[in-house]
Amino acid sequence: MKRRDFIKNASIGAVTTGSVVAPAIVSADTKIKWKMVTTWPKNFPVLGTGANQLADLITEMTDGRIKVKVYGAGELVPAFEVFDAVSRGTAQMGHGAAYYWKGKIEEAQFFSTVPFGMNAQEMTSWLYYGGGLELWRETYEPFGVIPAAAGNTTVQMAGWFNKEINSTKDLKGLKMRIPGLGGEVLKRAGGTPVNLPGGELFTSLKSGAIDATEWVGPYNDLAFGLHKAAKYYYYPGWHEPGTTLEAIINKKSFEALPADLKSIVDNACKIVNQNMTMEYVAKNNTALDTLINKHKVDVRKLPDDVLSKLKELSNDVVSELASKNKAAQKIYDSYNKFYKQVSAWNEISEKIYFNIR
Ligand code: CA
C-alpha cells in the first residue's frame, strides 16, 4: 500500500511533457521532480535567491534523486496562492512567509513575526527548541502541508518617510504602506495603513500618494532605490523584528520519500534558514554604509515616546489575535512563555554585551 502511494505521488510530482513517467521501483535511481512555487518575484534578492538555493541544495544533496524547479510569483500560481497550490499538490513545495496566509489561518502570523516580539535568533530557537515548530506543523496539518523555517530577514527598518516623526501626533493621518499586524497598530495610532505590492512602492512614495513605506532592510531597500523617493530613513523595524520565512511541503509528497531524502529536505531547509539570516546580516550592513556615506541618507531613530505608544498598541493587537480562537491562544501562550524566558536570559547576555562592547 505504502509503495503504491509512493509511486502514485512520485508520478504526480513528475514534470511531464505529454506522458506521465512513473518510476517502476523505489530505488536510488528514482528521479523525483518537484515544483517549488514562491511568493517572491523570480530571483528577488535574498528572498528569491534563497528559495533558489534551497532548490539547488536539495537537488545537489540528493544527487539529482529529487530535482526541484523554482517558479517565481505568478509563473505557475500568483504569490498569494502558494499555500493552496502546495496544499492541493499542484506544487510539492513552496517558499514564502506564514503571515501571507492570515486570511485562511489567522494564527499563522505568530510563525512569521510579531510587532515588538522575538528577533531572528530567538524565533529560530523557539521554533527548533521551544515547541514552536510542533505547533506550526499542527497548524498546517489540516491542509496537508508541512512547514519549516527557511530564512529570516533579521530586524527590519521602520521605513522611508517624507514626514518627520517627532511625536505620536505625527502618526495621525500618516498614510503608510505597512501590511499585517504592524498596519493594524498604525491604524490604532491614528494612521492610515495601506497595502501595496513591492513594485509600486517607489512611485507611490515619490508621487506623494503615500507619506511613508516600510519594506525590508538596507539591502533590499537600496536595490529598490527608495532613498531617491523619501527624505528620512527611520529605525528600528518594531513591526518586523525578525521575520521567519517558510518552506512548505506537500505532506503526501514528503511522506512518500525514503528516510534519507526526508532528512535531506529537512536539513536543506535548516541550512537555508541559517544562510539567509547570515546573508541579511552581511548585506544589510554594507548597504547601510552605502546609503549613509554615498547617498547621504538621513537615518533617524523613532522617538522613544512614539515607540512606547506603538508597543502599547502592539500588545493590544497581539492579545486580540491570541483571543480569536483556541489554537491562537495555545500558540501565543507558547510564544509568550519562551519570549519572557529568552528575554530574561538575553538581558544578561546578548543585550548587556551589545551595550558594553
Ligand atoms: Ca517588511
Side-chain angles (χ1 to χ4, degrees), residues 260-275:
D260 60 336
L261 297 191
K262 276 183 183 158
S263 173
I264 288 173
V265 170
D266 197 34
N267 282 292
C269 290
K270 279 191 172 172
I271 291 170
V272 168
N273 190 53
Q274 188 66 7
N275 271 6

Side-chain angles (χ1 to χ4, degrees), residues 23-320:
I25 45 159
V26 181
S27 73
D29 298 329
T30 304
K31 299 278 187 278
I32 299 167
K33 292 190 175 177
W34 275 11
K35 293 174 189 159
M36 184 199 287
V37 286
T38 66
T39 57
W40 326 114
K42 186 97 177 161
N43 303 323
F44 191 79
V46 193
L47 300 166
T49 54
N52 294 347
Q53 190 190 35
L54 177 58
D56 292 346
L57 262 180
I58 294 172
T59 303
E60 282 165 27
M61 289 162 82
T62 61
D63 194 23
R65 287 163 68 201
I66 306 179
K67 209 162 188 288
V68 186
K69 185 172 174 2
V70 179
Y71 294 85
E75 283 194 314
L76 196 63
V77 294
F80 294 131
E81 281 172 31
V82 162
F83 189 90
D84 288 340
V86 175
S87 175
R88 280 197 307 266
T90 305
Q92 291 70 36
M93 279 192 90
H95 193 272
Y99 55 21
Y100 291 142
W101 325 127
K102 66 172 182 171
K104 183 188 288 293
I105 322 164
E106 230 164 346
E107 60 271 29
Q109 294 177 91
F110 284 112
F111 302 112
S112 49
T113 194
V114 168
F116 292 93
M118 292 194 267
N119 69 9
Q121 196 181 31
E122 294 164 340
M123 265 303 283
T124 306
S125 307
W126 174 59
L127 290 170
Y128 290 173
Y129 295 103
L133 189 58
E134 283 81 25
L135 289 169
W136 199 359
R137 287 186 173 156
E138 222 173 276
T139 306
Y140 286 5
E141 164 80 37
F143 303 92
V145 170
I146 302 172
N152 198 300
T153 66
T154 68
V155 183
Q156 300 196 5
M157 286 291 281
W160 298 88
F161 292 68
N162 275 322
K163 282 186 178 165
E164 275 185 86
I165 304 296
N166 295 318
S167 76
T168 54
K169 281 184 203 142
D170 297 318
L171 298 174
K172 299 223 182 324
L174 185 79
K175 203 170 172 195
M176 178 171 183
R177 183 268 185 189
I178 173 168
L181 295 170
E184 181 57 31
V185 172
L186 178 71
K187 195 164 143 192
R188 294 188 191 195
T192 308
V194 292
N195 199 358
L196 293 170
E200 289 175 31
L201 300 187
F202 183 86
T203 321
S204 305
L205 198 55
K206 185 99 180 160
S207 71
I210 52 172
D211 305 312
T213 186
E214 70 82 51
W215 181 226
V216 187
Y219 183 66
N220 288 127
D221 295 5
L222 174 65
F224 261 14
L226 294 176
H227 57 285
K228 293 178 208 152
K231 285 184 202 154
Y232 314 109
Y233 195 22
Y234 277 98
Y235 66 91
W238 57 273
H239 61 303
E240 293 197 65
T243 303
T244 298
L245 307 165
E246 68 174 14
I248 47 176
I249 303 150
N250 177 277
K251 194 164 179 265
K252 280 186 190 161
S253 303
F254 184 77
E255 284 176 354
L257 298 176
D260 60 336
L261 297 191
K262 276 183 183 158
S263 173
I264 288 173
V265 170
D266 197 34
N267 282 292
C269 290
K270 279 191 172 172
I271 291 170
V272 168
N273 190 53
Q274 188 66 7
N275 271 6
M276 220 195 281
T277 307
M278 296 306 108
E279 191 178 358
Y280 264 118
V281 172
K283 289 187 169 163
N284 275 338
N285 70 60
T286 45
L288 180 65
D289 185 73
T290 305
L291 286 169
I292 294 174
N293 295 312
K294 188 174 169 201
H295 300 299
K296 311 290 175 203
V297 168
D298 190 347
V299 179
R300 298 180 175 200
K301 181 175 179 277
L302 285 172
D304 290 342
D305 62 325
V306 169
L307 287 170
S308 307
K309 184 69 190 166
L310 292 169
K311 189 173 177 180
E312 186 192 313
L313 295 169
S314 294
N315 288 338
D316 295 344
V317 168
V318 176
S319 345
E320 280 169 36

